[in-house]
Amino acid sequence: MKIDFANLAKAHEEYQSEIDEAIKRVLGRACFIMGEEVALFEEELKHFIGSKHAITCSSGTSAILLALLGSGIGRGDEVITTPFSFIAAAEMIALIGAKPVFVDIDPDTFHIDTAQIPAHITPKTKAIIPVSLFGLPADMETINAIAKAHNLIVIEDGAQSFGATSTNQAGVCKKSPHHSGLGVTSFFPAKPLGCYGDGGAVFCDDDRLADKIRALRIHGQSRRYQHAHIGINARLDSLQAAILRVKLKHYPAQISRRQKVAKLYEKYLANKPLARQKIPKNTQSVYAQYAILSPHRDKLEKNLTAHHIPYAIHYPKPLHLQDCFAYLGYQAGDFEVCERVAKQILSLPMNPYLSEEEIAFICECVI
Ligand SMILES: *Cc1c(COP(=O)(O)O)cnc(C)c1O
């Protein structure tokens, strides 16, 4: 049995003829930057997510940067975020001269602990960037309410959660990363909807913000060689847009298969004293990762390796303890839950192509 962690090859195989066709179409037209494929993909994206605007860009990281710049956040501002995530959000906050302010995480969902957010709000706080980790939307309803009370912007980092849903108390169902009216995603190959290189997108409902972000993506250009803002080059390649158009069409089926795989994990790990990410009611994950916690992770890693089962650690070192953030003055022990979870977490293989037999074998080894 040769178990694959993300199985990108199988996805390519499944859609190969359509993808070859899409690539040929772009090469034949010799239009490689933006153009029709990007425009059509953006239409299809906003329709899928239900946002007024979808603005594609060169990566999830540049999407975060565009959302921050577009919101006018910069030097002297503070932005609240989670210390338990990939670095991109905290990094972009710091890159534009703002200060990342970390808040410990919830022990069940591994998301930012909303109960602790208000205590970290100061007169300098401008925004909150929650991360919808492992494909599960963060508690966006609570975060939106806190933000509203303090007049803050919320940028949902949905790099891992594209298309995941949650239904609020009023019964309104929204798709990630569109829970707060401004969110970002990534199309890095290993994300649930991946392209064949780097890609990302910003989603928003505000017309003026959308115009500004569109300009920022091409050097702040309002018209050719007229620069209204200081921006960057953060465009999506036409080739990636053409490939993503094929993959978006099949994405609902891919989500269902990931959810089926997660159900099988639940079945084979049922009644075992093994913590995993808790999925709150009214919320559906797209399972970018299937994460479990083990107080004996070293032993677990050795056992998985001995049985040739691939795994990953997301994430071994909390952000507040990274060397690049030493200047912020955080210390080990500052965020007890985050630090414990970082020591115990492990991601099992997760992709739409895992068989029940493979899942049963993985779980047997884990147990
Ligand atoms: C992958 C990821 C990003 C960055 O996306 P890129 O496309 O790799 O730049 C940002 N945030 C989170 C939570 C991610 O997992």
Side-chain angles (χ1 to χ4, degrees), residues 49-53 67 71 127-132 137-148 152-158 161 164 166 168 172-184 202-206 209:
I49 289 297
S51 59
K52 194 160 176 205
H53 301 277
S71 304
I128 307 171
I129 305 189
V131 177
S132 293
D139 181 0
M140 297 302 295
E141 191 168 13
T142 305
I143 292 166
N144 289 339
I146 294 168
K148 197 169 173 202
L152 305 175
I153 294 158
V154 179
I155 303 171
E156 182 185 2
D157 179 349
S161 62
S166 62
N168 67 14
V172 180
C173 180
K174 284 200 170 169
K175 277 187 181 156
S176 187
H178 187 50
H179 288 102
S180 68
L182 176 58
V184 302
V202 183
F203 298 85
C204 71
D205 291 332
D206 185 295
L209 178 62

mmCIF file of all heavy atoms in Angstrom, residues 49-53 67 71 127-132 137-148 152-158 161 164 166 168 172-184 202-206 209:
data_model
loop_
_atom_site.group_PDB
_atom_site.id
_atom_site.type_symbol
_atom_site.label_atom_id
_atom_site.label_comp_id
_atom_site.label_asym_id
_atom_site.label_seq_id
_atom_site.Cartn_x
_atom_site.Cartn_y
_atom_site.Cartn_z
ATOM 1 N N ILE A 49 -18.484 31.928 -4.651
ATOM 2 C CA ILE A 49 -18.377 32.341 -3.245
ATOM 3 C C ILE A 49 -19.576 33.180 -2.794
ATOM 4 O O ILE A 49 -19.954 33.168 -1.624
ATOM 5 C CB ILE A 49 -17.036 33.102 -3.019
ATOM 6 C CG1 ILE A 49 -15.858 32.132 -3.104
ATOM 7 C CG2 ILE A 49 -17.018 33.855 -1.698
ATOM 8 C CD1 ILE A 49 -15.826 31.037 -2.035
ATOM 9 N N GLY A 50 -20.186 33.897 -3.737
ATOM 10 C CA GLY A 50 -21.316 34.747 -3.383
ATOM 11 C C GLY A 50 -20.908 36.150 -2.968
ATOM 12 O O GLY A 50 -21.655 36.849 -2.282
ATOM 13 N N SER A 51 -19.716 36.562 -3.374
ATOM 14 C CA SER A 51 -19.248 37.918 -3.060
ATOM 15 C C SER A 51 -19.544 38.836 -4.237
ATOM 16 O O SER A 51 -19.773 38.377 -5.357
ATOM 17 C CB SER A 51 -17.745 37.901 -2.791
ATOM 18 O OG SER A 51 -17.056 37.414 -3.929
ATOM 19 N N LYS A 52 -19.511 40.146 -3.982
ATOM 20 C CA LYS A 52 -19.746 41.090 -5.075
ATOM 21 C C LYS A 52 -18.516 41.161 -5.986
ATOM 22 O O LYS A 52 -18.649 41.337 -7.191
ATOM 23 C CB LYS A 52 -20.065 42.467 -4.477
ATOM 24 C CG LYS A 52 -20.658 43.411 -5.501
ATOM 25 C CD LYS A 52 -21.402 44.550 -4.836
ATOM 26 C CE LYS A 52 -21.892 45.532 -5.886
ATOM 27 N NZ LYS A 52 -22.086 46.876 -5.329
ATOM 28 N N HIS A 53 -17.339 41.049 -5.383
ATOM 29 C CA HIS A 53 -16.108 41.126 -6.171
ATOM 30 C C HIS A 53 -15.180 39.959 -5.846
ATOM 31 O O HIS A 53 -15.087 39.534 -4.697
ATOM 32 C CB HIS A 53 -15.344 42.424 -5.869
ATOM 33 C CG HIS A 53 -16.150 43.648 -6.153
ATOM 34 N ND1 HIS A 53 -16.266 44.186 -7.414
ATOM 35 C CD2 HIS A 53 -16.902 44.422 -5.334
ATOM 36 C CE1 HIS A 53 -17.052 45.251 -7.362
ATOM 37 N NE2 HIS A 53 -17.454 45.419 -6.109
ATOM 38 N N ALA A 67 -5.170 43.103 0.612
ATOM 39 C CA ALA A 67 -6.302 43.405 1.497
ATOM 40 C C ALA A 67 -5.889 44.408 2.576
ATOM 41 O O ALA A 67 -6.645 45.332 2.907
ATOM 42 C CB ALA A 67 -6.831 42.128 2.138
ATOM 43 N N SER A 71 -7.089 48.346 2.663
ATOM 44 C CA SER A 71 -7.813 48.832 3.833
ATOM 45 C C SER A 71 -7.113 50.015 4.493
ATOM 46 O O SER A 71 -7.579 50.516 5.522
ATOM 47 C CB SER A 71 -7.961 47.704 4.865
ATOM 48 O OG SER A 71 -8.593 46.599 4.285
ATOM 49 N N ALA A 127 -7.462 46.200 12.752
ATOM 50 C CA ALA A 127 -8.065 45.037 12.081
ATOM 51 C C ALA A 127 -7.825 43.753 12.867
ATOM 52 O O ALA A 127 -6.952 43.699 13.740
ATOM 53 C CB ALA A 127 -7.501 44.894 10.679
ATOM 54 N N ILE A 128 -8.620 42.737 12.517
ATOM 55 C CA ILE A 128 -8.421 41.381 13.020
ATOM 56 C C ILE A 128 -8.262 40.479 11.791
ATOM 57 O O ILE A 128 -9.046 40.588 10.845
ATOM 58 C CB ILE A 128 -9.633 40.887 13.844
ATOM 59 C CG1 ILE A 128 -9.991 41.879 14.952
ATOM 60 C CG2 ILE A 128 -9.367 39.497 14.426
ATOM 61 C CD1 ILE A 128 -11.304 41.559 15.673
ATOM 62 N N ILE A 129 -7.242 39.627 11.807
ATOM 63 C CA ILE A 129 -7.118 38.617 10.743
ATOM 64 C C ILE A 129 -7.234 37.233 11.377
ATOM 65 O O ILE A 129 -6.255 36.673 11.855
ATOM 66 C CB ILE A 129 -5.782 38.731 9.967
ATOM 67 C CG1 ILE A 129 -5.601 40.139 9.398
ATOM 68 C CG2 ILE A 129 -5.754 37.686 8.831
ATOM 69 C CD1 ILE A 129 -4.418 40.286 8.436
ATOM 70 N N PRO A 130 -8.457 36.678 11.405
ATOM 71 C CA PRO A 130 -8.597 35.294 11.861
ATOM 72 C C PRO A 130 -8.204 34.368 10.713
ATOM 73 O O PRO A 130 -8.369 34.717 9.544
ATOM 74 C CB PRO A 130 -10.094 35.180 12.160
ATOM 75 C CG PRO A 130 -10.756 36.237 11.343
ATOM 76 C CD PRO A 130 -9.738 37.276 10.995
ATOM 77 N N VAL A 131 -7.692 33.188 11.042
ATOM 78 C CA VAL A 131 -7.341 32.200 10.027
ATOM 79 C C VAL A 131 -8.320 31.033 10.141
ATOM 80 O O VAL A 131 -8.514 30.493 11.234
ATOM 81 C CB VAL A 131 -5.893 31.698 10.219
ATOM 82 C CG1 VAL A 131 -5.563 30.615 9.196
ATOM 83 C CG2 VAL A 131 -4.901 32.856 10.116
ATOM 84 N N SER A 132 -8.941 30.690 9.030
ATOM 85 C CA SER A 132 -9.858 29.538 9.023
ATOM 86 C C SER A 132 -9.022 28.282 8.778
ATOM 87 O O SER A 132 -8.896 27.795 7.662
ATOM 88 C CB SER A 132 -10.943 29.745 7.964
ATOM 89 O OG SER A 132 -11.778 30.824 8.361
ATOM 90 N N PRO A 137 -13.957 27.134 8.902
ATOM 91 C CA PRO A 137 -14.138 28.562 9.169
ATOM 92 C C PRO A 137 -13.957 28.878 10.660
ATOM 93 O O PRO A 137 -14.464 28.156 11.513
ATOM 94 C CB PRO A 137 -15.577 28.831 8.730
ATOM 95 C CG PRO A 137 -15.878 27.770 7.731
ATOM 96 C CD PRO A 137 -15.120 26.551 8.199
ATOM 97 N N ALA A 138 -13.227 29.950 10.945
ATOM 98 C CA ALA A 138 -13.093 30.431 12.325
ATOM 99 C C ALA A 138 -14.471 30.898 12.807
ATOM 100 O O ALA A 138 -15.424 30.956 12.025
ATOM 101 C CB ALA A 138 -12.090 31.576 12.374
ATOM 102 N N ASP A 139 -14.573 31.248 14.084
ATOM 103 C CA ASP A 139 -15.859 31.690 14.646
ATOM 104 C C ASP A 139 -16.122 33.114 14.165
ATOM 105 O O ASP A 139 -15.994 34.090 14.898
ATOM 106 C CB ASP A 139 -15.792 31.612 16.175
ATOM 107 C CG ASP A 139 -17.108 32.025 16.817
ATOM 108 O OD1 ASP A 139 -18.065 32.367 16.075
ATOM 109 O OD2 ASP A 139 -17.172 32.023 18.054
ATOM 110 N N MET A 140 -16.503 33.215 12.892
ATOM 111 C CA MET A 140 -16.577 34.518 12.238
ATOM 112 C C MET A 140 -17.719 35.381 12.763
ATOM 113 O O MET A 140 -17.615 36.597 12.790
ATOM 114 C CB MET A 140 -16.695 34.336 10.720
ATOM 115 C CG MET A 140 -15.493 33.670 10.076
ATOM 116 S SD MET A 140 -13.933 34.547 10.349
ATOM 117 C CE MET A 140 -14.237 36.075 9.466
ATOM 118 N N GLU A 141 -18.807 34.766 13.206
ATOM 119 C CA GLU A 141 -19.941 35.550 13.702
ATOM 120 C C GLU A 141 -19.524 36.335 14.946
ATOM 121 O O GLU A 141 -19.802 37.535 15.070
ATOM 122 C CB GLU A 141 -21.126 34.621 14.004
ATOM 123 C CG GLU A 141 -22.404 35.382 14.256
ATOM 124 C CD GLU A 141 -23.629 34.482 14.271
ATOM 125 O OE1 GLU A 141 -23.492 33.248 14.339
ATOM 126 O OE2 GLU A 141 -24.746 35.045 14.242
ATOM 127 N N THR A 142 -18.823 35.666 15.864
ATOM 128 C CA THR A 142 -18.350 36.340 17.080
ATOM 129 C C THR A 142 -17.307 37.403 16.738
ATOM 130 O O THR A 142 -17.341 38.515 17.277
ATOM 131 C CB THR A 142 -17.749 35.287 18.050
ATOM 132 O OG1 THR A 142 -18.728 34.285 18.287
ATOM 133 C CG2 THR A 142 -17.327 35.919 19.361
ATOM 134 N N ILE A 143 -16.396 37.052 15.836
ATOM 135 C CA ILE A 143 -15.339 38.004 15.467
ATOM 136 C C ILE A 143 -15.940 39.245 14.781
ATOM 137 O O ILE A 143 -15.560 40.376 15.085
ATOM 138 C CB ILE A 143 -14.297 37.307 14.554
ATOM 139 C CG1 ILE A 143 -13.536 36.256 15.374
ATOM 140 C CG2 ILE A 143 -13.336 38.329 13.936
ATOM 141 C CD1 ILE A 143 -12.722 35.278 14.557
ATOM 142 N N ASN A 144 -16.920 39.026 13.907
ATOM 143 C CA ASN A 144 -17.573 40.158 13.243
ATOM 144 C C ASN A 144 -18.263 41.074 14.257
ATOM 145 O O ASN A 144 -18.237 42.305 14.128
ATOM 146 C CB ASN A 144 -18.605 39.672 12.219
ATOM 147 C CG ASN A 144 -17.964 39.054 10.991
ATOM 148 O OD1 ASN A 144 -16.791 39.315 10.690
ATOM 149 N ND2 ASN A 144 -18.708 38.237 10.274
ATOM 150 N N ALA A 145 -18.856 40.457 15.292
ATOM 151 C CA ALA A 145 -19.556 41.257 16.310
ATOM 152 C C ALA A 145 -18.560 42.089 17.123
ATOM 153 O O ALA A 145 -18.802 43.275 17.394
ATOM 154 C CB ALA A 145 -20.362 40.334 17.224
ATOM 155 N N ILE A 146 -17.423 41.488 17.472
ATOM 156 C CA ILE A 146 -16.388 42.230 18.212
ATOM 157 C C ILE A 146 -15.881 43.394 17.351
ATOM 158 O O ILE A 146 -15.727 44.523 17.821
ATOM 159 C CB ILE A 146 -15.203 41.286 18.586
ATOM 160 C CG1 ILE A 146 -15.664 40.217 19.578
ATOM 161 C CG2 ILE A 146 -14.024 42.091 19.151
ATOM 162 C CD1 ILE A 146 -14.661 39.071 19.780
ATOM 163 N N ALA A 147 -15.638 43.092 16.080
ATOM 164 C CA ALA A 147 -15.111 44.110 15.169
ATOM 165 C C ALA A 147 -16.089 45.262 15.016
ATOM 166 O O ALA A 147 -15.703 46.437 15.014
ATOM 167 C CB ALA A 147 -14.813 43.481 13.808
ATOM 168 N N LYS A 148 -17.369 44.933 14.917
ATOM 169 C CA LYS A 148 -18.387 45.964 14.745
ATOM 170 C C LYS A 148 -18.414 46.887 15.969
ATOM 171 O O LYS A 148 -18.481 48.113 15.834
ATOM 172 C CB LYS A 148 -19.754 45.301 14.533
ATOM 173 C CG LYS A 148 -20.783 46.230 13.958
ATOM 174 C CD LYS A 148 -22.024 45.483 13.515
ATOM 175 C CE LYS A 148 -23.093 46.509 13.103
ATOM 176 N NZ LYS A 148 -24.430 45.934 13.161
ATOM 177 N N LEU A 152 -13.583 47.858 13.773
ATOM 178 C CA LEU A 152 -12.380 47.255 13.197
ATOM 179 C C LEU A 152 -12.719 46.543 11.879
ATOM 180 O O LEU A 152 -13.850 46.127 11.662
ATOM 181 C CB LEU A 152 -11.789 46.217 14.165
ATOM 182 C CG LEU A 152 -11.472 46.692 15.585
ATOM 183 C CD1 LEU A 152 -11.011 45.503 16.428
ATOM 184 C CD2 LEU A 152 -10.411 47.790 15.561
ATOM 185 N N ILE A 153 -11.707 46.403 11.048
ATOM 186 C CA ILE A 153 -11.833 45.649 9.799
ATOM 187 C C ILE A 153 -11.548 44.181 10.107
ATOM 188 O O ILE A 153 -10.680 43.889 10.938
ATOM 189 C CB ILE A 153 -10.802 46.177 8.780
ATOM 190 C CG1 ILE A 153 -11.138 47.618 8.396
ATOM 191 C CG2 ILE A 153 -10.701 45.286 7.546
ATOM 192 C CD1 ILE A 153 -9.948 48.384 7.844
ATOM 193 N N VAL A 154 -12.256 43.273 9.442
ATOM 194 C CA VAL A 154 -11.939 41.840 9.572
ATOM 195 C C VAL A 154 -11.532 41.308 8.208
ATOM 196 O O VAL A 154 -12.264 41.456 7.232
ATOM 197 C CB VAL A 154 -13.144 41.027 10.096
ATOM 198 C CG1 VAL A 154 -12.777 39.549 10.197
ATOM 199 C CG2 VAL A 154 -13.597 41.547 11.451
ATOM 200 N N ILE A 155 -10.349 40.715 8.143
ATOM 201 C CA ILE A 155 -9.883 40.066 6.912
ATOM 202 C C ILE A 155 -9.792 38.579 7.213
ATOM 203 O O ILE A 155 -8.958 38.148 8.011
ATOM 204 C CB ILE A 155 -8.490 40.592 6.484
ATOM 205 C CG1 ILE A 155 -8.516 42.112 6.289
ATOM 206 C CG2 ILE A 155 -8.035 39.886 5.201
ATOM 207 C CD1 ILE A 155 -7.118 42.736 6.087
ATOM 208 N N GLU A 156 -10.659 37.783 6.609
ATOM 209 C CA GLU A 156 -10.611 36.328 6.845
ATOM 210 C C GLU A 156 -9.496 35.717 6.002
ATOM 211 O O GLU A 156 -9.529 35.800 4.771
ATOM 212 C CB GLU A 156 -11.957 35.673 6.506
ATOM 213 C CG GLU A 156 -11.948 34.164 6.786
ATOM 214 C CD GLU A 156 -13.227 33.440 6.350
ATOM 215 O OE1 GLU A 156 -14.136 34.084 5.785
ATOM 216 O OE2 GLU A 156 -13.292 32.218 6.575
ATOM 217 N N ASP A 157 -8.519 35.097 6.663
ATOM 218 C CA ASP A 157 -7.493 34.353 5.929
ATOM 219 C C ASP A 157 -8.062 32.958 5.655
ATOM 220 O O ASP A 157 -8.031 32.072 6.503
ATOM 221 C CB ASP A 157 -6.186 34.269 6.729
ATOM 222 C CG ASP A 157 -5.103 33.470 5.994
ATOM 223 O OD1 ASP A 157 -5.418 32.817 4.987
ATOM 224 O OD2 ASP A 157 -3.933 33.505 6.444
ATOM 225 N N GLY A 158 -8.598 32.822 4.446
ATOM 226 C CA GLY A 158 -9.211 31.563 4.040
ATOM 227 C C GLY A 158 -8.336 30.803 3.057
ATOM 228 O O GLY A 158 -8.848 30.102 2.178
ATOM 229 N N SER A 161 -9.390 27.347 3.435
ATOM 230 C CA SER A 161 -10.812 27.050 3.674
ATOM 231 C C SER A 161 -11.728 27.466 2.526
ATOM 232 O O SER A 161 -12.933 27.634 2.730
ATOM 233 C CB SER A 161 -11.262 27.766 4.952
ATOM 234 O OG SER A 161 -11.125 29.171 4.783
ATOM 235 N N ALA A 164 -15.542 26.446 2.256
ATOM 236 C CA ALA A 164 -16.124 25.909 3.498
ATOM 237 C C ALA A 164 -17.294 26.808 3.903
ATOM 238 O O ALA A 164 -17.307 27.991 3.573
ATOM 239 C CB ALA A 164 -15.076 25.869 4.605
ATOM 240 N N SER A 166 -20.370 28.243 6.818
ATOM 241 C CA SER A 166 -20.962 28.272 8.149
ATOM 242 C C SER A 166 -22.229 29.096 8.113
ATOM 243 O O SER A 166 -22.358 30.049 7.338
ATOM 244 C CB SER A 166 -19.969 28.766 9.204
ATOM 245 O OG SER A 166 -19.583 30.066 8.915
ATOM 246 N N ASN A 168 -24.952 31.351 10.208
ATOM 247 C CA ASN A 168 -25.025 32.147 11.437
ATOM 248 C C ASN A 168 -26.378 31.965 12.129
ATOM 249 O O ASN A 168 -27.232 31.217 11.645
ATOM 250 C CB ASN A 168 -24.716 33.623 11.154
ATOM 251 C CG ASN A 168 -25.789 34.288 10.306
ATOM 252 O OD1 ASN A 168 -26.884 33.772 10.126
ATOM 253 N ND2 ASN A 168 -25.467 35.448 9.765
ATOM 254 N N VAL A 172 -28.268 32.490 7.962
ATOM 255 C CA VAL A 172 -27.612 32.833 6.692
ATOM 256 C C VAL A 172 -26.339 32.004 6.542
ATOM 257 O O VAL A 172 -25.465 32.028 7.402
ATOM 258 C CB VAL A 172 -27.272 34.343 6.643
ATOM 259 C CG1 VAL A 172 -26.590 34.688 5.314
ATOM 260 C CG2 VAL A 172 -28.520 35.182 6.847
ATOM 261 N N CYS A 173 -26.261 31.273 5.440
ATOM 262 C CA CYS A 173 -25.096 30.428 5.181
ATOM 263 C C CYS A 173 -24.120 31.166 4.276
ATOM 264 O O CYS A 173 -24.502 31.684 3.226
ATOM 265 C CB CYS A 173 -25.550 29.132 4.522
ATOM 266 S SG CYS A 173 -24.159 28.033 4.164
ATOM 267 N N LYS A 174 -22.866 31.242 4.703
ATOM 268 C CA LYS A 174 -21.850 31.920 3.898
ATOM 269 C C LYS A 174 -20.680 31.012 3.639
ATOM 270 O O LYS A 174 -20.394 30.105 4.414
ATOM 271 C CB LYS A 174 -21.386 33.188 4.611
ATOM 272 C CG LYS A 174 -22.400 34.310 4.505
ATOM 273 C CD LYS A 174 -21.772 35.655 4.765
ATOM 274 C CE LYS A 174 -22.760 36.758 4.398
ATOM 275 N NZ LYS A 174 -22.310 38.063 4.866
ATOM 276 N N LYS A 175 -20.012 31.312 2.519
ATOM 277 C CA LYS A 175 -18.845 30.513 2.160
ATOM 278 C C LYS A 175 -17.571 31.256 2.532
ATOM 279 O O LYS A 175 -17.480 32.472 2.394
ATOM 280 C CB LYS A 175 -18.843 30.254 0.655
ATOM 281 C CG LYS A 175 -19.708 29.076 0.247
ATOM 282 C CD LYS A 175 -19.533 28.778 -1.225
ATOM 283 C CE LYS A 175 -20.417 27.606 -1.635
ATOM 284 N NZ LYS A 175 -20.718 27.620 -3.060
ATOM 285 N N SER A 176 -16.598 30.491 2.964
ATOM 286 C CA SER A 176 -15.280 31.044 3.266
ATOM 287 C C SER A 176 -14.558 31.337 1.951
ATOM 288 O O SER A 176 -14.663 30.532 1.020
ATOM 289 C CB SER A 176 -14.494 30.012 4.065
ATOM 290 O OG SER A 176 -13.298 30.538 4.516
ATOM 291 N N PRO A 177 -13.823 32.433 1.836
ATOM 292 C CA PRO A 177 -13.493 33.454 2.825
ATOM 293 C C PRO A 177 -14.353 34.706 2.694
ATOM 294 O O PRO A 177 -13.864 35.817 2.583
ATOM 295 C CB PRO A 177 -12.041 33.781 2.495
ATOM 296 C CG PRO A 177 -11.971 33.664 0.990
ATOM 297 C CD PRO A 177 -13.055 32.690 0.579
ATOM 298 N N HIS A 178 -15.672 34.500 2.771
ATOM 299 C CA HIS A 178 -16.572 35.636 2.586
ATOM 300 C C HIS A 178 -17.473 35.806 3.799
ATOM 301 O O HIS A 178 -18.641 36.159 3.673
ATOM 302 C CB HIS A 178 -17.395 35.435 1.309
ATOM 303 C CG HIS A 178 -18.219 36.619 0.947
ATOM 304 N ND1 HIS A 178 -17.706 37.884 0.875
ATOM 305 C CD2 HIS A 178 -19.539 36.745 0.655
ATOM 306 C CE1 HIS A 178 -18.673 38.724 0.564
ATOM 307 N NE2 HIS A 178 -19.789 38.064 0.426
ATOM 308 N N HIS A 179 -16.948 35.540 4.987
ATOM 309 C CA HIS A 179 -17.759 35.655 6.192
ATOM 310 C C HIS A 179 -17.794 37.070 6.760
ATOM 311 O O HIS A 179 -18.661 37.398 7.559
ATOM 312 C CB HIS A 179 -17.248 34.682 7.267
ATOM 313 C CG HIS A 179 -17.559 33.253 6.953
ATOM 314 N ND1 HIS A 179 -16.626 32.380 6.448
ATOM 315 C CD2 HIS A 179 -18.714 32.549 7.053
ATOM 316 C CE1 HIS A 179 -17.197 31.201 6.260
ATOM 317 N NE2 HIS A 179 -18.460 31.274 6.622
ATOM 318 N N SER A 180 -16.827 37.898 6.380
ATOM 319 C CA SER A 180 -16.757 39.230 6.990
ATOM 320 C C SER A 180 -16.867 40.337 5.955
ATOM 321 O O SER A 180 -16.781 41.512 6.289
ATOM 322 C CB SER A 180 -15.424 39.383 7.736
ATOM 323 O OG SER A 180 -14.345 39.413 6.812
ATOM 324 N N GLY A 181 -17.023 39.970 4.693
ATOM 325 C CA GLY A 181 -17.070 40.996 3.643
ATOM 326 C C GLY A 181 -15.715 41.315 3.065
ATOM 327 O O GLY A 181 -15.609 42.056 2.077
ATOM 328 N N LEU A 182 -14.646 40.789 3.661
ATOM 329 C CA LEU A 182 -13.296 40.938 3.095
ATOM 330 C C LEU A 182 -12.486 39.710 3.494
ATOM 331 O O LEU A 182 -12.290 39.435 4.678
ATOM 332 C CB LEU A 182 -12.622 42.211 3.619
ATOM 333 C CG LEU A 182 -11.165 42.450 3.179
ATOM 334 C CD1 LEU A 182 -11.032 42.501 1.665
ATOM 335 C CD2 LEU A 182 -10.621 43.747 3.793
ATOM 336 N N GLY A 183 -12.066 38.959 2.495
ATOM 337 C CA GLY A 183 -11.327 37.736 2.787
ATOM 338 C C GLY A 183 -10.414 37.366 1.642
ATOM 339 O O GLY A 183 -10.521 37.900 0.538
ATOM 340 N N VAL A 184 -9.502 36.442 1.939
ATOM 341 C CA VAL A 184 -8.511 36.047 0.935
ATOM 342 C C VAL A 184 -8.407 34.530 0.875
ATOM 343 O O VAL A 184 -8.709 33.835 1.845
ATOM 344 C CB VAL A 184 -7.114 36.620 1.267
ATOM 345 C CG1 VAL A 184 -7.159 38.127 1.367
ATOM 346 C CG2 VAL A 184 -6.551 36.012 2.540
ATOM 347 N N VAL A 202 -8.650 37.841 -3.624
ATOM 348 C CA VAL A 202 -9.289 38.635 -2.572
ATOM 349 C C VAL A 202 -10.781 38.697 -2.900
ATOM 350 O O VAL A 202 -11.152 38.864 -4.067
ATOM 351 C CB VAL A 202 -8.735 40.078 -2.538
ATOM 352 C CG1 VAL A 202 -9.360 40.865 -1.384
ATOM 353 C CG2 VAL A 202 -7.215 40.086 -2.443
ATOM 354 N N PHE A 203 -11.626 38.571 -1.882
ATOM 355 C CA PHE A 203 -13.077 38.658 -2.066
ATOM 356 C C PHE A 203 -13.592 39.817 -1.218
ATOM 357 O O PHE A 203 -13.234 39.932 -0.043
ATOM 358 C CB PHE A 203 -13.750 37.365 -1.614
ATOM 359 C CG PHE A 203 -13.298 36.172 -2.415
ATOM 360 C CD1 PHE A 203 -12.133 35.490 -2.067
ATOM 361 C CD2 PHE A 203 -13.999 35.765 -3.530
ATOM 362 C CE1 PHE A 203 -11.692 34.409 -2.819
ATOM 363 C CE2 PHE A 203 -13.565 34.681 -4.289
ATOM 364 C CZ PHE A 203 -12.409 34.001 -3.931
ATOM 365 N N CYS A 204 -14.438 40.671 -1.824
ATOM 366 C CA CYS A 204 -15.038 41.738 -1.018
ATOM 367 C C CYS A 204 -16.343 42.207 -1.647
ATOM 368 O O CYS A 204 -16.659 41.860 -2.788
ATOM 369 C CB CYS A 204 -14.059 42.889 -0.809
ATOM 370 S SG CYS A 204 -13.758 43.864 -2.282
ATOM 371 N N ASP A 205 -17.080 42.980 -0.879
ATOM 372 C CA ASP A 205 -18.373 43.487 -1.351
ATOM 373 C C ASP A 205 -18.336 44.984 -1.627
ATOM 374 O O ASP A 205 -19.265 45.519 -2.218
ATOM 375 C CB ASP A 205 -19.460 43.218 -0.288
ATOM 376 C CG ASP A 205 -19.773 41.728 -0.168
ATOM 377 O OD1 ASP A 205 -19.604 41.010 -1.175
ATOM 378 O OD2 ASP A 205 -20.174 41.295 0.930
ATOM 379 N N ASP A 206 -17.298 45.664 -1.189
ATOM 380 C CA ASP A 206 -17.231 47.119 -1.279
ATOM 381 C C ASP A 206 -16.633 47.531 -2.633
ATOM 382 O O ASP A 206 -15.504 47.160 -2.961
ATOM 383 C CB ASP A 206 -16.367 47.628 -0.112
ATOM 384 C CG ASP A 206 -16.329 49.130 -0.040
ATOM 385 O OD1 ASP A 206 -15.787 49.761 -0.972
ATOM 386 O OD2 ASP A 206 -16.843 49.678 0.946
ATOM 387 N N LEU A 209 -13.298 49.667 -2.390
ATOM 388 C CA LEU A 209 -12.184 48.824 -1.951
ATOM 389 C C LEU A 209 -11.743 47.904 -3.098
ATOM 390 O O LEU A 209 -10.540 47.738 -3.354
ATOM 391 C CB LEU A 209 -12.604 48.003 -0.724
ATOM 392 C CG LEU A 209 -11.567 47.021 -0.175
ATOM 393 C CD1 LEU A 209 -10.313 47.748 0.298
ATOM 394 C CD2 LEU A 209 -12.156 46.195 0.975
#
